[in-house]
mmCIF file of all heavy atoms in Angstrom:
data_model
loop_
_atom_site.group_PDB
_atom_site.id
_atom_site.type_symbol
_atom_site.label_atom_id
_atom_site.label_comp_id
_atom_site.label_asym_id
_atom_site.label_seq_id
_atom_site.Cartn_x
_atom_site.Cartn_y
_atom_site.Cartn_z
ATOM 1 N N TRP A 16 19.306 -3.504 -66.632
ATOM 2 C CA TRP A 16 20.132 -3.973 -65.511
ATOM 3 C C TRP A 16 19.356 -3.953 -64.192
ATOM 4 O O TRP A 16 19.522 -4.808 -63.357
ATOM 5 C CB TRP A 16 21.388 -3.132 -65.405
ATOM 6 C CG TRP A 16 22.329 -3.276 -66.540
ATOM 7 C CD1 TRP A 16 22.684 -2.391 -67.480
ATOM 8 C CD2 TRP A 16 23.047 -4.479 -66.863
ATOM 9 N NE1 TRP A 16 23.580 -2.909 -68.369
ATOM 10 C CE2 TRP A 16 23.810 -4.196 -68.023
ATOM 11 C CE3 TRP A 16 23.141 -5.747 -66.323
ATOM 12 C CZ2 TRP A 16 24.646 -5.146 -68.638
ATOM 13 C CZ3 TRP A 16 23.958 -6.689 -66.910
ATOM 14 C CH2 TRP A 16 24.708 -6.388 -68.051
ATOM 15 N N THR A 17 18.515 -2.942 -64.027
ATOM 16 C CA THR A 17 17.731 -2.867 -62.786
ATOM 17 C C THR A 17 16.847 -4.101 -62.630
ATOM 18 O O THR A 17 16.796 -4.720 -61.559
ATOM 19 C CB THR A 17 16.854 -1.605 -62.803
ATOM 20 O OG1 THR A 17 17.689 -0.443 -62.911
ATOM 21 C CG2 THR A 17 16.032 -1.505 -61.520
ATOM 22 N N GLY A 18 16.159 -4.471 -63.717
ATOM 23 C CA GLY A 18 15.305 -5.648 -63.641
ATOM 24 C C GLY A 18 16.096 -6.921 -63.395
ATOM 25 O O GLY A 18 15.686 -7.785 -62.594
ATOM 26 N N GLN A 19 17.211 -7.064 -64.080
ATOM 27 C CA GLN A 19 18.024 -8.289 -63.918
ATOM 28 C C GLN A 19 18.585 -8.397 -62.506
ATOM 29 O O GLN A 19 18.558 -9.464 -61.897
ATOM 30 C CB GLN A 19 19.173 -8.284 -64.949
ATOM 31 C CG GLN A 19 18.708 -8.435 -66.395
ATOM 32 C CD GLN A 19 19.878 -8.496 -67.347
ATOM 33 O OE1 GLN A 19 20.733 -9.395 -67.266
ATOM 34 N NE2 GLN A 19 19.952 -7.561 -68.287
ATOM 35 N N MET A 20 19.129 -7.280 -62.011
ATOM 36 C CA MET A 20 19.702 -7.328 -60.665
ATOM 37 C C MET A 20 18.617 -7.547 -59.609
ATOM 38 O O MET A 20 18.836 -8.214 -58.588
ATOM 39 C CB MET A 20 20.490 -6.048 -60.369
ATOM 40 C CG MET A 20 21.872 -6.033 -61.062
ATOM 41 S SD MET A 20 22.958 -4.713 -60.497
ATOM 42 C CE MET A 20 22.229 -3.301 -61.328
ATOM 43 N N TRP A 21 17.458 -6.975 -59.828
ATOM 44 C CA TRP A 21 16.361 -7.172 -58.849
ATOM 45 C C TRP A 21 15.906 -8.612 -58.852
ATOM 46 O O TRP A 21 15.657 -9.191 -57.776
ATOM 47 C CB TRP A 21 15.200 -6.240 -59.171
ATOM 48 C CG TRP A 21 13.986 -6.530 -58.323
ATOM 49 C CD1 TRP A 21 12.776 -7.002 -58.736
ATOM 50 C CD2 TRP A 21 13.892 -6.370 -56.906
ATOM 51 N NE1 TRP A 21 11.947 -7.135 -57.666
ATOM 52 C CE2 TRP A 21 12.587 -6.776 -56.533
ATOM 53 C CE3 TRP A 21 14.778 -5.941 -55.921
ATOM 54 C CZ2 TRP A 21 12.162 -6.742 -55.210
ATOM 55 C CZ3 TRP A 21 14.352 -5.938 -54.596
ATOM 56 C CH2 TRP A 21 13.055 -6.330 -54.257
ATOM 57 N N LEU A 22 15.773 -9.244 -60.037
ATOM 58 C CA LEU A 22 15.376 -10.633 -60.070
ATOM 59 C C LEU A 22 16.395 -11.534 -59.348
ATOM 60 O O LEU A 22 16.029 -12.531 -58.731
ATOM 61 C CB LEU A 22 15.224 -11.092 -61.532
ATOM 62 C CG LEU A 22 13.965 -10.608 -62.271
ATOM 63 C CD1 LEU A 22 14.020 -11.025 -63.731
ATOM 64 C CD2 LEU A 22 12.712 -11.161 -61.602
ATOM 65 N N PHE A 23 17.657 -11.153 -59.450
ATOM 66 C CA PHE A 23 18.706 -11.901 -58.759
ATOM 67 C C PHE A 23 18.689 -11.617 -57.271
ATOM 68 O O PHE A 23 18.968 -12.521 -56.453
ATOM 69 C CB PHE A 23 20.082 -11.545 -59.359
ATOM 70 C CG PHE A 23 21.226 -12.282 -58.724
ATOM 71 C CD1 PHE A 23 21.591 -13.520 -59.147
ATOM 72 C CD2 PHE A 23 21.964 -11.685 -57.702
ATOM 73 C CE1 PHE A 23 22.668 -14.183 -58.566
ATOM 74 C CE2 PHE A 23 23.038 -12.344 -57.113
ATOM 75 C CZ PHE A 23 23.385 -13.591 -57.551
ATOM 76 N N SER A 24 18.372 -10.398 -56.876
ATOM 77 C CA SER A 24 18.588 -9.917 -55.518
ATOM 78 C C SER A 24 17.411 -10.173 -54.573
ATOM 79 O O SER A 24 17.647 -10.337 -53.361
ATOM 80 C CB SER A 24 18.877 -8.408 -55.522
ATOM 81 O OG SER A 24 20.061 -8.132 -56.268
ATOM 82 N N TRP A 25 16.183 -10.176 -55.093
ATOM 83 C CA TRP A 25 15.054 -10.228 -54.159
ATOM 84 C C TRP A 25 15.046 -11.477 -53.260
ATOM 85 O O TRP A 25 14.628 -11.366 -52.074
ATOM 86 C CB TRP A 25 13.718 -10.060 -54.877
ATOM 87 C CG TRP A 25 13.229 -11.239 -55.680
ATOM 88 C CD1 TRP A 25 13.345 -11.415 -57.001
ATOM 89 C CD2 TRP A 25 12.539 -12.410 -55.199
ATOM 90 N NE1 TRP A 25 12.762 -12.614 -57.397
ATOM 91 C CE2 TRP A 25 12.290 -13.233 -56.291
ATOM 92 C CE3 TRP A 25 12.136 -12.818 -53.915
ATOM 93 C CZ2 TRP A 25 11.652 -14.463 -56.168
ATOM 94 C CZ3 TRP A 25 11.494 -14.054 -53.785
ATOM 95 C CH2 TRP A 25 11.251 -14.848 -54.922
ATOM 96 N N PRO A 26 15.488 -12.653 -53.710
ATOM 97 C CA PRO A 26 15.498 -13.782 -52.758
ATOM 98 C C PRO A 26 16.416 -13.505 -51.553
ATOM 99 O O PRO A 26 16.122 -13.968 -50.446
ATOM 100 C CB PRO A 26 16.015 -14.946 -53.605
ATOM 101 C CG PRO A 26 15.675 -14.583 -55.019
ATOM 102 C CD PRO A 26 15.845 -13.106 -55.080
ATOM 103 N N PHE A 27 17.519 -12.764 -51.774
ATOM 104 C CA PHE A 27 18.413 -12.460 -50.658
ATOM 105 C C PHE A 27 17.677 -11.651 -49.589
ATOM 106 O O PHE A 27 17.873 -11.880 -48.388
ATOM 107 C CB PHE A 27 19.611 -11.649 -51.164
ATOM 108 C CG PHE A 27 20.562 -12.415 -52.024
ATOM 109 C CD1 PHE A 27 20.305 -12.618 -53.358
ATOM 110 C CD2 PHE A 27 21.727 -12.951 -51.489
ATOM 111 C CE1 PHE A 27 21.178 -13.314 -54.185
ATOM 112 C CE2 PHE A 27 22.621 -13.678 -52.295
ATOM 113 C CZ PHE A 27 22.337 -13.844 -53.641
ATOM 114 N N SER A 28 16.881 -10.684 -50.023
ATOM 115 C CA SER A 28 16.139 -9.870 -49.059
ATOM 116 C C SER A 28 15.074 -10.668 -48.336
ATOM 117 O O SER A 28 14.826 -10.462 -47.129
ATOM 118 C CB SER A 28 15.504 -8.679 -49.779
ATOM 119 O OG SER A 28 16.490 -7.814 -50.291
ATOM 120 N N VAL A 29 14.411 -11.600 -49.061
ATOM 121 C CA VAL A 29 13.391 -12.424 -48.397
ATOM 122 C C VAL A 29 14.000 -13.327 -47.367
ATOM 123 O O VAL A 29 13.560 -13.361 -46.184
ATOM 124 C CB VAL A 29 12.616 -13.243 -49.470
ATOM 125 C CG1 VAL A 29 11.665 -14.215 -48.792
ATOM 126 C CG2 VAL A 29 11.854 -12.314 -50.402
ATOM 127 N N TRP A 30 15.031 -14.099 -47.750
ATOM 128 C CA TRP A 30 15.594 -14.992 -46.743
ATOM 129 C C TRP A 30 16.435 -14.212 -45.739
ATOM 130 O O TRP A 30 16.681 -14.671 -44.630
ATOM 131 C CB TRP A 30 16.393 -16.129 -47.375
ATOM 132 C CG TRP A 30 17.730 -15.800 -47.978
ATOM 133 C CD1 TRP A 30 18.789 -15.164 -47.387
ATOM 134 C CD2 TRP A 30 18.184 -16.145 -49.294
ATOM 135 N NE1 TRP A 30 19.870 -15.068 -48.239
ATOM 136 C CE2 TRP A 30 19.526 -15.672 -49.414
ATOM 137 C CE3 TRP A 30 17.610 -16.812 -50.368
ATOM 138 C CZ2 TRP A 30 20.268 -15.853 -50.592
ATOM 139 C CZ3 TRP A 30 18.370 -16.983 -51.535
ATOM 140 C CH2 TRP A 30 19.663 -16.501 -51.634
ATOM 141 N N GLY A 31 16.853 -12.977 -46.087
ATOM 142 C CA GLY A 31 17.582 -12.156 -45.151
ATOM 143 C C GLY A 31 16.783 -11.846 -43.880
ATOM 144 O O GLY A 31 17.337 -11.726 -42.780
ATOM 145 N N ILE A 32 15.463 -11.701 -44.037
ATOM 146 C CA ILE A 32 14.605 -11.468 -42.862
ATOM 147 C C ILE A 32 14.737 -12.643 -41.886
ATOM 148 O O ILE A 32 14.878 -12.420 -40.669
ATOM 149 C CB ILE A 32 13.135 -11.327 -43.305
ATOM 150 C CG1 ILE A 32 12.965 -10.115 -44.254
ATOM 151 C CG2 ILE A 32 12.228 -11.174 -42.100
ATOM 152 C CD1 ILE A 32 11.604 -10.018 -44.891
ATOM 153 N N PHE A 33 14.742 -13.835 -42.401
ATOM 154 C CA PHE A 33 14.772 -15.010 -41.542
ATOM 155 C C PHE A 33 16.181 -15.320 -41.035
ATOM 156 O O PHE A 33 16.343 -15.698 -39.867
ATOM 157 C CB PHE A 33 14.206 -16.215 -42.303
ATOM 158 C CG PHE A 33 12.772 -16.033 -42.690
ATOM 159 C CD1 PHE A 33 12.423 -15.501 -43.934
ATOM 160 C CD2 PHE A 33 11.744 -16.408 -41.837
ATOM 161 C CE1 PHE A 33 11.114 -15.335 -44.300
ATOM 162 C CE2 PHE A 33 10.420 -16.240 -42.180
ATOM 163 C CZ PHE A 33 10.098 -15.698 -43.423
ATOM 164 N N THR A 34 17.201 -15.155 -41.877
ATOM 165 C CA THR A 34 18.562 -15.387 -41.409
ATOM 166 C C THR A 34 18.973 -14.339 -40.381
ATOM 167 O O THR A 34 19.687 -14.659 -39.425
ATOM 168 C CB THR A 34 19.549 -15.390 -42.592
ATOM 169 O OG1 THR A 34 19.434 -14.155 -43.326
ATOM 170 C CG2 THR A 34 19.276 -16.548 -43.526
ATOM 171 N N TRP A 35 18.474 -13.075 -40.574
ATOM 172 C CA TRP A 35 18.731 -12.087 -39.528
ATOM 173 C C TRP A 35 18.033 -12.501 -38.225
ATOM 174 O O TRP A 35 18.615 -12.384 -37.140
ATOM 175 C CB TRP A 35 18.209 -10.724 -39.969
ATOM 176 C CG TRP A 35 18.232 -9.733 -38.844
ATOM 177 C CD1 TRP A 35 19.296 -9.011 -38.401
ATOM 178 C CD2 TRP A 35 17.120 -9.395 -37.965
ATOM 179 N NE1 TRP A 35 18.944 -8.235 -37.330
ATOM 180 C CE2 TRP A 35 17.622 -8.450 -37.045
ATOM 181 C CE3 TRP A 35 15.802 -9.778 -37.912
ATOM 182 C CZ2 TRP A 35 16.801 -7.899 -36.066
ATOM 183 C CZ3 TRP A 35 14.997 -9.254 -36.925
ATOM 184 C CH2 TRP A 35 15.489 -8.309 -36.017
ATOM 185 N N GLY A 36 16.807 -12.985 -38.351
ATOM 186 C CA GLY A 36 16.097 -13.422 -37.151
ATOM 187 C C GLY A 36 16.830 -14.545 -36.440
ATOM 188 O O GLY A 36 16.881 -14.541 -35.189
ATOM 189 N N GLN A 37 17.422 -15.445 -37.204
ATOM 190 C CA GLN A 37 18.175 -16.536 -36.569
ATOM 191 C C GLN A 37 19.392 -15.977 -35.801
ATOM 192 O O GLN A 37 19.654 -16.398 -34.660
ATOM 193 C CB GLN A 37 18.616 -17.526 -37.640
ATOM 194 C CG GLN A 37 19.328 -18.765 -37.111
ATOM 195 C CD GLN A 37 20.812 -18.545 -36.934
ATOM 196 O OE1 GLN A 37 21.444 -17.859 -37.716
ATOM 197 N NE2 GLN A 37 21.397 -19.155 -35.915
ATOM 198 N N GLN A 38 20.111 -15.044 -36.420
ATOM 199 C CA GLN A 38 21.300 -14.508 -35.774
ATOM 200 C C GLN A 38 20.937 -13.612 -34.580
ATOM 201 O O GLN A 38 21.547 -13.695 -33.510
ATOM 202 C CB GLN A 38 22.123 -13.715 -36.782
ATOM 203 C CG GLN A 38 22.708 -14.600 -37.902
ATOM 204 C CD GLN A 38 23.423 -13.767 -38.940
ATOM 205 O OE1 GLN A 38 23.655 -12.555 -38.790
ATOM 206 N NE2 GLN A 38 23.752 -14.377 -40.074
ATOM 207 N N ALA A 39 19.939 -12.751 -34.785
ATOM 208 C CA ALA A 39 19.565 -11.820 -33.705
ATOM 209 C C ALA A 39 18.921 -12.556 -32.532
ATOM 210 O O ALA A 39 19.082 -12.147 -31.377
ATOM 211 C CB ALA A 39 18.629 -10.763 -34.249
ATOM 212 N N SER A 40 18.182 -13.616 -32.816
ATOM 213 C CA SER A 40 17.482 -14.327 -31.753
ATOM 214 C C SER A 40 18.436 -14.977 -30.770
ATOM 215 O O SER A 40 18.070 -15.228 -29.620
ATOM 216 C CB SER A 40 16.550 -15.398 -32.345
ATOM 217 O OG SER A 40 17.252 -16.390 -33.023
ATOM 218 N N GLU A 41 19.677 -15.268 -31.192
ATOM 219 C CA GLU A 41 20.663 -15.781 -30.256
ATOM 220 C C GLU A 41 20.853 -14.808 -29.091
ATOM 221 O O GLU A 41 20.842 -15.168 -27.917
ATOM 222 C CB GLU A 41 22.005 -16.031 -30.968
ATOM 223 C CG GLU A 41 21.954 -17.106 -32.040
ATOM 224 C CD GLU A 41 23.260 -17.216 -32.770
ATOM 225 O OE1 GLU A 41 24.087 -16.282 -32.717
ATOM 226 O OE2 GLU A 41 23.468 -18.276 -33.428
ATOM 227 N N ARG A 42 21.040 -13.534 -29.444
ATOM 228 C CA ARG A 42 21.299 -12.527 -28.426
ATOM 229 C C ARG A 42 20.028 -12.112 -27.677
ATOM 230 O O ARG A 42 20.049 -11.987 -26.440
ATOM 231 C CB ARG A 42 21.956 -11.317 -29.095
ATOM 232 C CG ARG A 42 23.364 -11.612 -29.603
ATOM 233 C CD ARG A 42 23.822 -10.622 -30.651
ATOM 234 N NE ARG A 42 25.209 -10.816 -31.025
ATOM 235 C CZ ARG A 42 25.663 -11.776 -31.806
ATOM 236 N NH1 ARG A 42 24.820 -12.658 -32.322
ATOM 237 N NH2 ARG A 42 26.954 -11.880 -32.080
ATOM 238 N N TRP A 43 18.945 -11.909 -28.418
ATOM 239 C CA TRP A 43 17.732 -11.440 -27.756
ATOM 240 C C TRP A 43 17.073 -12.516 -26.908
ATOM 241 O O TRP A 43 16.420 -12.223 -25.891
ATOM 242 C CB TRP A 43 16.747 -10.890 -28.798
ATOM 243 C CG TRP A 43 17.182 -9.578 -29.335
ATOM 244 C CD1 TRP A 43 17.787 -9.332 -30.551
ATOM 245 C CD2 TRP A 43 17.094 -8.297 -28.685
ATOM 246 N NE1 TRP A 43 18.054 -7.999 -30.695
ATOM 247 C CE2 TRP A 43 17.637 -7.330 -29.580
ATOM 248 C CE3 TRP A 43 16.581 -7.883 -27.464
ATOM 249 C CZ2 TRP A 43 17.717 -5.996 -29.251
ATOM 250 C CZ3 TRP A 43 16.661 -6.531 -27.143
ATOM 251 C CH2 TRP A 43 17.216 -5.604 -28.036
ATOM 252 N N ALA A 44 17.256 -13.801 -27.278
ATOM 253 C CA ALA A 44 16.732 -14.873 -26.434
ATOM 254 C C ALA A 44 17.505 -14.934 -25.128
ATOM 255 O O ALA A 44 16.928 -15.157 -24.048
ATOM 256 C CB ALA A 44 16.814 -16.208 -27.175
ATOM 257 N N LEU A 45 18.829 -14.752 -25.200
ATOM 258 C CA LEU A 45 19.610 -14.701 -23.965
ATOM 259 C C LEU A 45 19.236 -13.499 -23.106
ATOM 260 O O LEU A 45 19.190 -13.594 -21.871
ATOM 261 C CB LEU A 45 21.124 -14.656 -24.324
ATOM 262 C CG LEU A 45 21.776 -15.977 -24.713
ATOM 263 C CD1 LEU A 45 23.219 -15.742 -25.134
ATOM 264 C CD2 LEU A 45 21.741 -16.972 -23.561
ATOM 265 N N GLU A 46 18.969 -12.380 -23.757
ATOM 266 C CA GLU A 46 18.553 -11.180 -23.024
ATOM 267 C C GLU A 46 17.229 -11.459 -22.304
ATOM 268 O O GLU A 46 17.052 -11.003 -21.153
ATOM 269 C CB GLU A 46 18.393 -10.014 -24.001
ATOM 270 C CG GLU A 46 17.648 -8.811 -23.479
ATOM 271 C CD GLU A 46 18.480 -7.996 -22.484
ATOM 272 O OE1 GLU A 46 19.689 -8.285 -22.334
ATOM 273 O OE2 GLU A 46 17.904 -7.101 -21.853
ATOM 274 N N ARG A 47 16.337 -12.207 -22.954
ATOM 275 C CA ARG A 47 15.000 -12.469 -22.367
ATOM 276 C C ARG A 47 15.074 -13.530 -21.267
ATOM 277 O O ARG A 47 14.465 -13.367 -20.196
ATOM 278 C CB ARG A 47 14.046 -12.916 -23.463
ATOM 279 C CG ARG A 47 12.712 -13.422 -22.979
ATOM 280 C CD ARG A 47 11.906 -12.330 -22.294
ATOM 281 N NE ARG A 47 10.612 -12.796 -21.841
ATOM 282 C CZ ARG A 47 10.410 -13.494 -20.695
ATOM 283 N NH1 ARG A 47 11.430 -13.749 -19.866
ATOM 284 N NH2 ARG A 47 9.199 -13.875 -20.336
ATOM 285 N N PHE A 48 15.801 -14.624 -21.487
ATOM 286 C CA PHE A 48 15.751 -15.756 -20.574
ATOM 287 C C PHE A 48 16.967 -15.839 -19.655
ATOM 288 O O PHE A 48 16.935 -16.619 -18.690
ATOM 289 C CB PHE A 48 15.634 -17.055 -21.356
ATOM 290 C CG PHE A 48 14.360 -17.182 -22.116
ATOM 291 C CD1 PHE A 48 14.354 -17.110 -23.515
ATOM 292 C CD2 PHE A 48 13.129 -17.385 -21.483
ATOM 293 C CE1 PHE A 48 13.167 -17.214 -24.231
ATOM 294 C CE2 PHE A 48 11.957 -17.488 -22.180
ATOM 295 C CZ PHE A 48 11.985 -17.396 -23.558
ATOM 296 N N ALA A 49 18.018 -15.073 -19.924
ATOM 297 C CA ALA A 49 19.190 -15.051 -19.045
ATOM 298 C C ALA A 49 19.459 -13.624 -18.576
ATOM 299 O O ALA A 49 18.744 -13.115 -17.716
ATOM 300 C CB ALA A 49 20.402 -15.660 -19.783
ATOM 301 N N SER A 50 20.461 -12.964 -19.150
ATOM 302 C CA SER A 50 20.766 -11.578 -18.773
ATOM 303 C C SER A 50 21.589 -10.919 -19.870
ATOM 304 O O SER A 50 22.141 -11.579 -20.740
ATOM 305 C CB SER A 50 21.551 -11.560 -17.447
ATOM 306 O OG SER A 50 22.836 -12.120 -17.630
ATOM 307 N N THR A 51 21.708 -9.593 -19.770
ATOM 308 C CA THR A 51 22.552 -8.851 -20.721
ATOM 309 C C THR A 51 24.013 -9.271 -20.578
ATOM 310 O O THR A 51 24.757 -9.274 -21.556
ATOM 311 C CB THR A 51 22.393 -7.343 -20.490
ATOM 312 O OG1 THR A 51 21.006 -6.993 -20.500
ATOM 313 C CG2 THR A 51 23.089 -6.569 -21.611
ATOM 314 N N SER A 52 24.440 -9.591 -19.367
ATOM 315 C CA SER A 52 25.805 -10.064 -19.159
ATOM 316 C C SER A 52 26.063 -11.364 -19.918
ATOM 317 O O SER A 52 27.151 -11.568 -20.470
ATOM 318 C CB SER A 52 26.088 -10.245 -17.667
ATOM 319 O OG SER A 52 26.054 -9.015 -16.996
ATOM 320 N N ASP A 53 25.070 -12.269 -19.910
ATOM 321 C CA ASP A 53 25.204 -13.508 -20.691
ATOM 322 C C ASP A 53 25.307 -13.218 -22.180
ATOM 323 O O ASP A 53 26.011 -13.921 -22.898
ATOM 324 C CB ASP A 53 24.012 -14.439 -20.401
ATOM 325 C CG ASP A 53 24.100 -15.054 -19.032
ATOM 326 O OD1 ASP A 53 25.155 -15.610 -18.713
ATOM 327 O OD2 ASP A 53 23.108 -14.983 -18.312
ATOM 328 N N VAL A 54 24.608 -12.197 -22.642
ATOM 329 C CA VAL A 54 24.737 -11.785 -24.032
ATOM 330 C C VAL A 54 26.174 -11.371 -24.327
ATOM 331 O O VAL A 54 26.760 -11.718 -25.339
ATOM 332 C CB VAL A 54 23.771 -10.634 -24.384
ATOM 333 C CG1 VAL A 54 23.962 -10.180 -25.822
ATOM 334 C CG2 VAL A 54 22.318 -11.041 -24.144
ATOM 335 N N GLY A 55 26.767 -10.599 -23.396
ATOM 336 C CA GLY A 55 28.160 -10.193 -23.559
ATOM 337 C C GLY A 55 29.105 -11.367 -23.551
ATOM 338 O O GLY A 55 30.050 -11.432 -24.366
ATOM 339 N N GLN A 56 28.894 -12.317 -22.656
ATOM 340 C CA GLN A 56 29.749 -13.519 -22.629
ATOM 341 C C GLN A 56 29.657 -14.297 -23.921
ATOM 342 O O GLN A 56 30.670 -14.709 -24.498
ATOM 343 C CB GLN A 56 29.313 -14.419 -21.443
ATOM 344 C CG GLN A 56 29.558 -13.867 -20.064
ATOM 345 C CD GLN A 56 30.997 -14.005 -19.619
ATOM 346 O OE1 GLN A 56 31.814 -14.613 -20.289
ATOM 347 N NE2 GLN A 56 31.310 -13.443 -18.475
ATOM 348 N N TYR A 57 28.426 -14.501 -24.388
ATOM 349 C CA TYR A 57 28.233 -15.241 -25.632
ATOM 350 C C TYR A 57 28.859 -14.511 -26.824
ATOM 351 O O TYR A 57 29.473 -15.138 -27.708
ATOM 352 C CB TYR A 57 26.764 -15.478 -25.909
ATOM 353 C CG TYR A 57 26.509 -16.104 -27.269
ATOM 354 C CD1 TYR A 57 26.776 -17.441 -27.520
ATOM 355 C CD2 TYR A 57 26.027 -15.319 -28.322
ATOM 356 C CE1 TYR A 57 26.563 -17.996 -28.762
ATOM 357 C CE2 TYR A 57 25.813 -15.879 -29.563
ATOM 358 C CZ TYR A 57 26.089 -17.204 -29.778
ATOM 359 O OH TYR A 57 25.884 -17.745 -31.029
ATOM 360 N N THR A 58 28.735 -13.199 -26.842
ATOM 361 C CA THR A 58 29.270 -12.421 -27.973
ATOM 362 C C THR A 58 30.776 -12.548 -28.069
ATOM 363 O O THR A 58 31.325 -12.648 -29.165
ATOM 364 C CB THR A 58 28.874 -10.931 -27.815
ATOM 365 O OG1 THR A 58 27.448 -10.823 -27.763
ATOM 366 C CG2 THR A 58 29.377 -10.126 -29.002
ATOM 367 N N VAL A 59 31.449 -12.572 -26.951
ATOM 368 C CA VAL A 59 32.905 -12.752 -26.953
ATOM 369 C C VAL A 59 33.290 -14.123 -27.507
ATOM 370 O O VAL A 59 34.203 -14.256 -28.334
ATOM 371 C CB VAL A 59 33.500 -12.538 -25.557
ATOM 372 C CG1 VAL A 59 34.939 -13.007 -25.487
ATOM 373 C CG2 VAL A 59 33.388 -11.069 -25.160
ATOM 374 N N VAL A 60 32.596 -15.168 -27.064
ATOM 375 C CA VAL A 60 32.856 -16.522 -27.600
ATOM 376 C C VAL A 60 32.589 -16.539 -29.085
ATOM 377 O O VAL A 60 33.348 -17.142 -29.871
ATOM 378 C CB VAL A 60 31.985 -17.561 -26.885
ATOM 379 C CG1 VAL A 60 32.203 -18.943 -27.474
ATOM 380 C CG2 VAL A 60 32.302 -17.584 -25.398
ATOM 381 N N PHE A 61 31.514 -15.900 -29.501
ATOM 382 C CA PHE A 61 31.164 -15.851 -30.926
ATOM 383 C C PHE A 61 32.255 -15.139 -31.732
ATOM 384 O O PHE A 61 32.671 -15.604 -32.808
ATOM 385 C CB PHE A 61 29.835 -15.096 -31.079
ATOM 386 C CG PHE A 61 29.313 -15.007 -32.490
ATOM 387 C CD1 PHE A 61 28.512 -16.026 -32.989
ATOM 388 C CD2 PHE A 61 29.613 -13.929 -33.300
ATOM 389 C CE1 PHE A 61 28.031 -15.953 -34.294
ATOM 390 C CE2 PHE A 61 29.121 -13.838 -34.572
ATOM 391 C CZ PHE A 61 28.335 -14.859 -35.089
#
């Protein structure tokens, strides 16, 4: 079962790095180019 579940699961972890980057970059890009307040505004809309 360990081998079978790992073969099924590892793609999730690989693409999880990038999908997390996509989601996190929304907030951190606003923090960098706008302000923390803009992050709060966007988070409420989200």
Side-chain angles (χ1 to χ4, degrees):
W16 293 113
T17 301
Q19 292 183 60
M20 283 192 284
W21 173 246
L22 285 175
F23 180 85
S24 299
W25 73 261
F27 290 82
S28 296
V29 173
W30 73 55
I32 299 171
F33 297 92
T34 56
W35 170 81
Q37 185 274 324
Q38 294 175 11
S40 64
E41 295 175 342
R42 292 160 173 77
W43 287 102
L45 281 175
E46 167 73 9
R47 171 65 181 81
F48 296 109
S50 67
T51 308
S52 294
D53 286 310
V54 178
Q56 293 280 355
Y57 172 76
T58 302
V59 168
V60 177
F61 183 88

